[in-house]
Amino acid sequence: EPLVPVHRAPRSDAMQLTQALMGETVRVFDVSEGWAWLQLAQDGYVGYCPAGALSGTVIAPTHRVAVPSTFLYPQPNLKTQPAVIVTLNADVTVVGGDEKFAQLSNDRFIFAPHLKPLGENETDFVAVAEMFRHVPYYWGGKSVHGLDCSGLVQLSLEACGIAAPRDSDMQEEEIGQAILQNDLDGLKRGDLVFWNDHVGIMTDHETLLHANGHHMVVVAEPLRQAVARIAATGSSVSRIRRL
C-alpha cells in the first residue's frame, strides 16, 4: 500500500495517529482480526493498521520519491492504467529501466526523474515545506493529500536526511536548539515556532508556514497575525527552536 493509516485502536473509525509510507519498515507485535499492532521503524510510533496493507517480504530500498506525489504505472508508459499514487519520501527499490522510467521490484514503473537515490537529500527543508502550501489539513496526515502541523515538519526534515519525532511536543524538545522565545524580531528562515501542541516553520523573519485547523490548509501568514489569534484563545508561543 502506498499510504497506510495508523490508528489509535484496531478499528477503521478510530483516530488516525499518523501514516506509514510505502517502503517503510515496521515491527509487528501482534495480528488479530485483520489488524496489526505495530511500531514504525522510522520514528518509533506505535498503533494499529490493516494487516493486509503489510508485506512480509522486506526488500532493501534504493531510492526515495523526491516530489510531492507521482505515479506507479504497470508499464513504462504514462498512459497505462491502473496508476497508483505514491508520495514524498516513499521508499522504492529500482531493479532496472532507463533514464525516463525506472522499473521497481514490484514490477511497476515510475518516472525516473521523480526519484533520488537514498542518501541524496534535499538541502533546504523550508523549500520542501513550501511545496505543500494549500494542501488540506488532515490529522495524522503525512502526504500531499493532507497533513498536520508536525507531519509537515517531519516530512520536510526527512527529505533533507534529518530524523525528527512525529509529534509537535517531542519536536519542541528534541529538534535543534531553543532560542529566546520573546524575540520575534530576531527570527530566521527555518526557525520552528511552537505553541499549545502546534508547530510552524518560518519562511523568512516574519512569515510562518504551517498546517493548521484554523484555515484547514497549509498557509503562509504573518507570524504576528498568528500569535495575536492564538493569544485571543489564551495561548502563547511556548518555544522557538533553530536547527
Side-chain angles (χ1 to χ4, degrees):
E1 294 287 339
L3 196 63
V4 179
V6 178
H7 295 275
R8 173 173 287 175
R11 306 190 317 272
S12 59
D13 62 348
M15 178 185 290
Q16 176 177 259
L17 300 174
T18 188
Q19 292 175 319
L21 306 182
M22 174 178 278
E24 191 162 355
T25 302
V26 302
R27 179 185 180 190
V28 177
F29 302 118
D30 184 49
V31 177
S32 177
E33 296 182 352
W35 288 90
W37 180 37
L38 51 75
Q39 182 177 39
L40 304 182
Q42 185 83 352
D43 58 19
Y45 228 90
V46 174
Y48 295 85
C49 83
L54 304 178
S55 169
T57 303
V58 178
I59 302 175
T62 61
H63 292 71
R64 68 175 181 87
V65 174
V67 293
S69 67
T70 189
F71 292 94
L72 302 182
Y73 298 97
Q75 299 293 331
N77 183 325
L78 59 83
K79 297 180 181 179
T80 55
Q81 294 292 327
V84 177
I85 297 175
V86 289
T87 57
L88 180 73
N89 291 349
D91 288 338
V92 298
T93 305
V94 174
V95 297
D98 54 31
E99 69 279 356
K100 186 169 184 180
F101 281 97
Q103 184 177 8
L104 306 183
S105 58
N106 61 3
D107 294 325
R108 292 272 183 163
F109 293 83
I110 193 168
F111 186 60
H114 287 175
L115 299 177
K116 284 190 176 181
L118 292 186
E120 185 177 316
N121 301 314
E122 311 304 325
T123 57
D124 183 352
F125 87 94
V126 182
V128 176
E130 287 176 318
M131 293 193 297
F132 290 84
R133 191 174 297 192
H134 310 303
V135 166
Y137 182 87
Y138 185 41
W139 184 269
K142 279 188 61 176
S143 83
V144 71
H145 304 301
L147 37 68
D148 57 22
C149 65
S150 55
L152 177 63
V153 170
Q154 186 190 53
L155 200 65
S156 302
L157 287 172
E158 286 181 354
C160 297
I162 302 170
R166 178 62 179 91
D167 291 343
S168 61
D169 60 341
M170 293 185 286
Q171 293 174 355
E172 185 172 352
E173 296 297 328
E174 298 179 29
I175 297 177
Q177 300 293 323
I179 63 174
L180 289 176
Q181 65 189 57
N182 58 353
D183 183 15
L184 297 183
D185 291 324
L187 301 186
K188 298 180 179 180
R189 178 178 172 88
D191 286 348
L192 301 177
V193 181
F194 295 89
W195 70 80
N196 193 27
D197 296 324
H198 188 71
V199 60
I201 305 165
M202 298 301 294
T203 61
D204 54 38
H205 70 282
E206 62 182 6
T207 306
L208 184 75
L209 179 77
H210 58 147
N212 66 90
H214 177 76
H215 298 94
M216 287 301 290
V217 293
V218 178
V219 298
E221 63 175 326
L223 172 62
R224 292 184 182 277
Q225 177 177 300
V227 168
R229 186 171 62 247
I230 64 166
T233 68
S235 185
S236 61
V237 173
S238 56
R239 190 168 299 174
I240 298 170
R241 297 190 75 92
R242 180 169 293 167
L243 276 75

